[in-house]
Amino acid sequence: MSPSRLPSVFGLTAAFLLIAAPAMSQKQEFHHVFDNSKLDVSAKPNEQFTDAVKEFHRTGQNPYNGKPEALDEGKKLYDETCSACHLPDGAGGMGAQLNGPQHIYPRVTTDKGLFEVVFGGAAGAMQPFGLRMSQDQILKAMAYVRTLMKK
């Protein structure tokens, strides 16, 4: 590259960073499934956000998806807190079916949407798990649920 082109390349790079940096650092906004009101996803007292939770808030993508150590913990959490209603294989019972192609809330096909349902609650007996579990635990349980959805 010729020296005369360097200033324009650096100028373009700097301009891109100034424009893109705010967008890259923005956090996702989460909404309740019933009325689309904003969910308060701030940390509960004594809850420390893990790097995974911080990344999820920024991107809306669950960083635990496909991670074996998170899936093991997610399965334990699912078995303890979810399987009574959704059944061990996600086939549904009192709770909605999780392992089929159709969902009561189509938003659950995205990580952000699934989090909104689990964290904020939904119809029937689906209570807001944001009151009972840390957001890190919810993300791990969600990662396990994704494995059920793929079967």
Side-chain angles (χ1 to χ4, degrees):
M1 178 179 311
S2 72
S4 63
R5 298 224 352 115
L6 286 176
S8 64
V9 170
F10 288 122
L12 287 175
T13 302
F16 171 78
L17 290 174
L18 288 173
I19 293 168
M24 290 188 287
S25 65
Q26 287 180 342
K27 291 185 177 185
Q28 297 289 311
E29 199 169 272
F30 299 93
H31 297 93
H32 199 284
V33 297
F34 292 131
D35 61 5
N36 216 33
S37 61
K38 189 174 176 183
L39 285 171
D40 179 6
V41 296
S42 56
K44 294 183 293 192
N46 301 318
E47 180 179 18
Q48 295 292 317
F49 283 162
T50 61
D51 289 341
V53 170
K54 292 174 189 174
E55 181 179 338
F56 178 70
H57 282 194
R58 193 176 64 256
T59 66
Q61 301 294 312
N62 188 348
Y64 288 136
N65 287 341
K67 305 281 188 206
E69 63 282 354
L71 293 176
D72 290 343
E73 179 67 20
K75 181 180 183 339
K76 289 176 191 166
L77 291 163
Y78 179 88
D79 289 345
E80 292 169 6
T81 58
C82 310
S83 67
C85 294
H86 295 284
L87 299 183
D89 66 352
M94 182 177 16
Q97 179 183 13
L98 301 176
N99 64 1
Q102 294 185 335
H103 305 284
I104 293 171
Y105 301 105
R107 72 187 344 154
V108 302
T109 60
T110 69
D111 290 337
K112 180 180 178 230
L114 181 58
F115 178 85
E116 290 169 333
V117 169
V118 175
F119 183 87
M126 184 64 189
Q127 299 300 308
F129 278 82
L131 301 174
R132 302 184 218 187
M133 299 169 72
S134 72
Q135 291 184 46
D136 192 69
Q137 289 173 316
I138 291 172
L139 292 177
K140 288 175 181 173
M142 285 172 44
Y144 178 71
V145 166
R146 290 286 182 229
T147 67
L148 299 175
M149 290 178 159
K150 292 179 181 178
K151 291 181 180 179

